[in-house]
Amino acid sequence: MAVRQVSKNSVHIPDDAIFLEFPRSDGAKSNWPSNTNRVVDGSGAVNYMSPQTSEGAPSPIWRRGAGMHVALNLKMEGAADGSRTYVLKNWPEGYGMFIHYKGEARRPRSDPYLFGSGFVNKFRSSNEFAPHALWLFTDETLNHANCECKYNPKNKKKSQTAISQELGLKIHRSAGDSPAPSAGPRPRGRPKRDARPKATAKPYTAVRKTVKVKKAPAPTVAVIVERDADIREALIQSDVQAPRMYRTGEVIWCRLDDPIHVSDNSNDTISFWPGVVEDIVLKSDTKPAPTSSQMDVDSREEEVEEEVNDGARKSRRIRAKQQITWTVTQFYQYKVKLLATTHSCSIADASALPYLAYQLPVDLISKSFTILNSVLHGADVESMDRQIMADFDFDPYQSTDGMDPSQRFRDAVVPYTLAVEMAKNLTCYWTPTDQYDYTFVIPPLPPNGLSDSASASTSSSSAHFQSLHTAIQAAMDNNGRGASGFASGANGKSRTDIKETANNLLGNNIADQMPSSLHAAPRTVTQTRYQGLWWGAERIWTDELVRLKLARYQFAPNGAPAVNPPAGMSASTSAVVDQMNSAGLPAEAFSAGERGMFMKIEGLFVAELQTPEGVVKECRASGMVYELADYDWEPSARVEGSGEGKGKEKATNEDAPPSISQPGTPVKAAPSSQDENASPGGNGVLSTPPRHHYGLPAPPAGFKFNPILPPGHEVVLSLSLISGRYYPKLLNHPLLVDTVQKHLVDEQSILDGSYLWALQGSMAGIYQSMDPQHWKTDRHIMLAEADEAARTIFGSEWQAIKTQRLGGVPGSGAEPQPAGSGDMDVQMEDRFEAGGGSTTVIEM
């Protein structure tokens, strides 16, 4: 077991620090430990609790950490940007800090603990105590059920690391772990450097053989509880229990029971309100079963008597059948915080949509801003000044019976505008989470004496797609043939080429550790990896399927080394196309090439890359890549490790825009791969079962997920190519059925529904994707900054209108001008219109 030693360094507390005093306490000295005397036993060991003052280490560190957490959540001045320092003046009454000394008397193990609480035996760290301190500041009833600390029964299944991430508490990391571009805030007095022009580079992608873990048996990294539950519950396929669509911390659209109408005679309504999932509960529903159907039966025993010889009687037990007259189903219910309001709602999957699955109606946007201008020109100035920086006491789920629809909409338009802006802001943030160390073997470089001229005929772009391990293995195989033999092998890759490829795949910090001699033993290296990812509005985990922005034809359209060409039409689809294709569309329009791509993420890691501007960090994903093939498509014979092409084609064609394909192909109505006639395995996978215990989700009806790489290979790509989560059977959602039908009327409506087809992979993911650009340390900070940014933008618009209303001098009491004399900034309306999800490709 690792030994914790109490830090001898005291945290610096500035002279202008603000000290916070606890208004109440749940503590008592009777809860303190009693073994406080140092006694050395016969073996020379000690085991005692040493009381500490509030100034002795590590008390100041705990007091500052907890104080900043309290100030941040109470929105005290300067807490969010760190311009002010908040420190607990002392411990709550009845609390005391102790250091537990245990072990050899000369150098015992030392662990700090905080005792005194009537609900918690002891706190082991500042992060454990911080949410408990906030509870003491805010809950006058001292109901411990309202506390967010680890020792609340509702958090018993959560690790402290997960709780710290949810609450935005600082998690100590070793140097170099963070993918952030900078190490911390700029020191005071340091001159600001001129911003360098950002180099425009295409998102990185490559194919390699799967790296081998040094010790394959028995994983050494604990799986995050939330990750395991999120993935498993999303893969549920049962008539009793539906799969879970959403995850804690995600942004979703909540369907309002009573839509908010613009006016009495208008069809334009606020039907969905954005919110953040706070909690998830599994519910059960019992309903009477129809008597006419064949039902399962329950066994019931009855004791009966029967006559035997000579009038004797004996008893025996018989089993009778009793018909079950009810059915039980289970579903997930989400507690959702409605953005920009003080209210939450409880909602099921059937009443909510993923953030990317809903687009704001254009007419609603136009009318909302017209009414918003009118509201702001007539609003009370002092009331609006206060309200704009706080959540609105507006309940979107309040019954509208007897209400004036026009006034109801006017009450909703300000918080709704803020809520949409907050949700949009959250899609701009990302961060990897739950880091761990990943150890694997990296092979040596080829001999030194080789000429680098052999690589001149090979473009630098093809090096990105040359398998690192394939090249090195070929070099080793040709080692005995001399330098000329090696130079012609591995597609002409020289030592320099191979190391450059290693840099592109793994980063400088890994490639620099490659052994320089073939006779040297392969070296094991350790890479920082992550189990999860916050990606805009969504939570993504490793070992699950995600959508990619690329169309299949953009990735090795004719095949390439270690990449199969796109799947073509199946025989049944081809027969139907021949009969119905009156437009004369090419056969490629019905192949997998026109559809989207998917990746089952096996790894998330940070690569350090050398660029002309210096070393930069880039977060990447690796794993098997899939295409959508017809459910009954059968592959032709292929040579493992190579495609049909000669290796001259570029593996991607990023300059060509994705073409428009007809969604829903193949045209023949085919059963899902989950049906009896589906391909072996029931999940549409043609290769061997995945190495992880998590399977693939159900593919769209009529298709199957077909891996495009041979077994043992994976693709490495930049995170900027990830579109977002894949939601099985999303287009069958009851809230989308009418929308889907509306977009199947004619060719133009089909094009207008591209964002829907992209969500199931019928079209490239670029047509509806998350495009986060700003790295933040954790989800709590993302939520806080999205809220602050939305209020800042809205506040600036309100200040312009207020100044105009008051005749250019705020506070002068000038008469308000007529509504419409000062319109809201057009840029704000553009941002509002983009609230349903952006499709801009970014460079990371």
Side-chain angles (χ1 to χ4, degrees):
M1 179 181 293
V3 176
R4 292 195 300 161
Q5 297 292 335
V6 178
S7 173
K8 301 300 188 294
N9 298 323
S10 179
V11 65
H12 172 67
I13 297 179
D15 295 336
D16 61 348
I18 301 174
F19 291 91
L20 306 177
E21 296 188 54
F22 282 93
R24 61 191 64 85
S25 175
D26 66 331
K29 290 187 177 181
S30 60
N31 298 321
W32 290 10
S34 58
N35 59 327
T36 57
N37 295 324
R38 184 178 184 273
V39 177
V40 181
D41 61 18
S43 62
V46 296
N47 184 5
Y48 71 101
M49 293 284 186
S50 175
Q52 306 293 309
T53 67
S54 61
E55 301 300 327
S59 296
I61 299 176
W62 285 43
R63 288 165 45 216
R64 177 171 176 169
M68 290 300 297
H69 180 71
V70 171
L72 181 64
N73 282 272
L74 296 183
K75 298 184 178 179
M76 295 183 178
E77 180 182 359
D81 57 12
S83 60
R84 305 295 296 270
T85 300
Y86 291 86
V87 183
L88 300 180
K89 186 175 182 179
N90 213 323
W91 300 121
E93 184 179 354
Y95 276 64
M97 172 69 74
F98 292 78
I99 295 180
H100 185 197
Y101 291 102
K102 183 178 181 180
E104 187 180 356
R106 291 178 299 176
R107 190 179 181 274
R109 168 176 174 162
S110 56
D111 297 307
Y113 297 109
L114 185 62
F115 287 87
S117 171
F119 297 98
V120 180
N121 181 31
K122 58 189 175 185
F123 294 99
R124 303 169 184 270
S125 67
S126 174
N127 280 2
E128 281 192 5
F129 176 64
H132 193 82
L134 177 61
W135 169 70
L136 290 175
F137 270 89
T138 56
D139 191 355
E140 297 179 358
T141 65
L142 288 183
N143 180 0
H144 196 242
N146 299 326
C147 183
E148 296 295 331
C149 75
K150 174 183 178 180
Y151 300 99
N152 187 319
K154 68 181 181 182
N155 291 331
K156 63 181 179 181
K157 294 184 179 180
K158 294 184 179 180
S159 65
Q160 182 58 44
T161 300
I163 294 174
S164 297
Q165 289 174 343
E166 291 177 6
L167 300 180
L169 295 167
K170 182 178 179 181
I171 300 176
H172 299 288
R173 304 182 182 184
S174 59
D177 284 348
S178 171
S182 61
R186 185 185 304 276
R188 293 184 179 180
R190 175 181 171 184
K192 184 177 180 181
R193 295 181 298 175
D194 295 334
R196 292 177 297 185
K198 183 179 179 181
T200 57
K202 295 178 180 179
Y204 176 81
T205 181
V207 177
R208 68 178 181 187
K209 279 192 174 180
T210 308
V211 294
K212 297 181 179 179
V213 184
K214 181 182 178 182
K215 297 180 180 180
T220 58
V221 179
V223 176
I224 300 299
V225 175
E226 291 82 1
R227 169 190 164 203
D228 183 69
D230 284 348
I231 298 178
R232 286 184 181 276
E233 292 170 9
L235 295 175
I236 292 174
Q237 295 293 329
S238 169
D239 294 335
V240 176
Q241 182 178 344
R244 173 158 65 88
M245 294 183 65
Y246 310 115
R247 296 161 182 181
T248 303
E250 289 190 325
V251 180
I252 62 175
W253 291 100
C254 302
R255 171 73 175 182
L256 301 183
D257 297 333
D258 292 330
I260 304 172
H261 292 262
V262 174
S263 62
D264 284 325
N265 55 358
S266 174
N267 293 325
D268 296 313
T269 63
I270 298 177
S271 300
F272 292 86
W273 199 284
V276 176
V277 179
E278 290 186 327
D279 196 15
I280 305 169
V281 179
L282 182 63
K283 296 283 188 177
S284 297
D285 185 22
T286 303
K287 295 182 179 179
T291 57
S292 60
S293 61
Q294 181 72 26
M295 302 298 300
D296 292 335
V297 294
D298 189 18
S299 296
R300 168 170 63 88
E301 289 188 345
E302 293 181 352
E303 185 172 315
V304 299
E305 290 185 346
E306 59 182 8
E307 186 174 346
V308 294
N309 296 335
D310 301 328
R313 306 182 69 85
K314 72 174 183 178
S315 298
R316 67 182 180 89
R317 303 186 68 85
I318 64 172
R319 300 180 64 86
K321 299 294 186 179
Q322 181 182 12
Q323 190 176 41
I324 295 178
T325 58
W326 64 87
T327 59
V328 178
T329 57
Q330 293 182 313
F331 63 95
Y332 290 95
Q333 190 174 73
Y334 309 90
K335 179 185 177 183
V336 182
K337 169 65 168 62
L338 300 173
L339 293 178
T341 77
T342 59
H343 295 274
S344 299
C345 69
S346 293
I347 197 168
D349 283 311
S351 299
L353 286 176
Y355 181 78
L356 292 180
Y358 173 71
Q359 285 194 338
L360 294 170
V362 176
D363 290 342
L364 175 63
I365 296 173
S366 176
K367 293 179 180 179
S368 293
F369 272 89
T370 299
I371 296 175
L372 180 62
N373 270 292
S374 174
V375 169
L376 293 181
H377 279 89
D380 178 75
V381 173
E382 293 184 0
S383 176
M384 185 60 68
D385 283 340
R386 292 192 306 269
Q387 188 65 70
I388 230 170
M389 300 310 296
D391 286 339
F392 286 75
D393 187 18
F394 175 83
D395 185 3
Y397 278 85
Q398 182 181 2
S399 175
T400 59
D401 292 343
M403 290 187 179
D404 178 14
S406 298
Q407 184 57 45
R408 172 75 169 160
F409 192 91
R410 293 175 69 87
D411 293 340
V413 69
V414 176
Y416 184 64
T417 305
L418 270 176
V420 172
E421 181 71 14
M422 291 174 186
K424 185 201 71 68
N425 289 344
L426 275 169
T427 66
C428 299
Y429 303 137
W430 71 279
T431 189
T433 66
D434 307 298
Q435 69 182 37
Y436 66 98
D437 290 334
Y438 182 81
T439 303
F440 60 96
V441 178
I442 188 168
L445 287 166
N448 276 313
L450 299 180
S451 170
D452 289 343
S453 61
S455 63
S457 62
T458 305
S459 67
S460 60
S461 61
S462 63
H464 285 233
F465 303 97
Q466 169 67 27
S467 168
L468 171 65
H469 292 271
T470 300
I472 293 176
Q473 187 61 49
M476 296 176 69
D477 293 341
N478 287 291
N479 188 35
R481 305 176 189 174
S484 59
F486 169 77
S488 63
N491 286 351
K493 295 297 178 186
S494 69
R495 176 188 182 93
T496 302
D497 292 325
I498 293 174
K499 188 163 185 178
E500 181 181 354
T501 303
N503 274 338
N504 288 332
L505 283 167
L506 305 172
N508 297 13
N509 55 339
I510 302 296
D512 290 343
Q513 302 182 54
M514 296 178 68
S516 58
S517 170
L518 285 173
H519 301 288
R523 183 170 298 173
T524 59
V525 296
T526 300
Q527 185 180 63
T528 298
R529 290 202 172 192
Y530 302 87
Q531 294 195 45
L533 178 71
W534 281 114
W535 195 241
E538 297 177 338
R539 179 52 142 156
I540 292 175
W541 297 104
T542 54
D543 295 332
E544 73 170 341
L545 202 70
V546 296
R547 298 179 298 112
L548 301 182
K549 292 180 180 176
L550 298 173
R552 176 62 179 92
Y553 83 89
Q554 291 181 293
F555 194 94
N558 299 311
V563 181
N564 295 325
M569 287 188 294
S570 65
S572 60
T573 300
S574 179
V576 176
V577 169
D578 290 341
Q579 296 177 6
M580 302 178 59
N581 190 11
S582 58
L585 294 174
E588 290 78 7
F590 301 94
S591 70
E594 296 294 323
R595 304 175 194 134
M597 295 177 64
F598 302 83
M599 169 183 274
K600 185 175 183 183
I601 300 178
E602 302 287 352
L604 291 168
F605 61 93
V606 175
E608 294 184 358
L609 307 175
Q610 183 66 47
T611 69
E613 300 170 348
V615 177
V616 298
K617 294 181 179 181
E618 180 179 277
C619 198
R620 292 179 174 170
S622 62
M624 177 59 75
V625 176
Y626 298 86
E627 63 188 359
L628 272 187
D630 295 354
Y631 84 101
D632 56 347
W633 174 78
E634 295 295 337
S636 57
R638 303 179 186 183
V639 179
E640 181 172 322
S642 64
E644 295 177 358
K646 301 296 183 181
K648 298 181 180 179
E649 302 90 344
K650 288 184 66 177
T652 61
N653 182 11
E654 295 166 354
D655 296 328
S659 64
I660 307 298
S661 62
Q662 300 293 327
T665 54
V667 296
K668 180 179 179 180
S672 168
S673 64
Q674 301 296 323
D675 297 338
E676 293 182 354
N677 297 327
S679 60
N683 57 8
V685 182
L686 297 177
S687 63
T688 56
R691 60 188 180 187
H692 293 285
H693 55 279
Y694 304 111
L696 289 176
F703 298 102
K704 61 185 174 184
F705 292 122
N706 178 49
I708 69 174
L709 309 176
H713 290 71
E714 64 183 0
V715 168
V716 182
L717 49 77
S718 299
L719 293 190
S720 59
L721 293 176
I722 295 179
S723 286
R725 288 181 56 195
Y726 166 69
Y727 300 86
K729 303 179 181 179
L730 178 61
L731 298 192
N732 293 330
H733 194 287
L735 296 180
L736 287 179
V737 172
D738 291 341
T739 304
V740 170
Q741 293 301 319
K742 182 183 69 174
H743 286 297
L744 292 175
V745 175
D746 52 37
E747 184 175 352
Q748 184 57 47
S749 64
I750 289 176
L751 295 177
D752 293 339
S754 297
Y755 75 100
L756 289 173
W757 320 136
L759 291 176
Q760 74 162 5
S762 296
M763 297 182 68
I766 188 65
Y767 288 99
Q768 189 69 324
S769 64
M770 293 288 175
D771 292 309
Q773 304 177 44
H774 306 295
W775 176 86
K776 300 296 178 184
T777 54
D778 55 55
R779 192 60 167 178
H780 180 85
I781 291 179
M782 294 179 191
L783 293 168
E785 294 202 7
D787 182 286
E788 182 180 0
R791 297 183 191 279
T792 299
I793 293 171
F794 195 92
S796 64
E797 305 297 340
W798 162 242
Q799 289 298 325
I801 292 177
K802 183 175 69 172
T803 301
Q804 184 186 42
R805 286 178 54 187
L806 301 179
V809 183
S812 64
E815 291 296 325
Q817 298 184 14
S821 58
D823 292 336
M824 294 288 284
D825 192 339
V826 175
Q827 293 183 1
M828 186 175 182
E829 185 169 350
D830 292 340
R831 289 190 296 267
F832 189 81
E833 187 170 359
S838 171
T839 57
T840 305
V841 179
I842 63 169
E843 304 288 345
M844 297 183 62

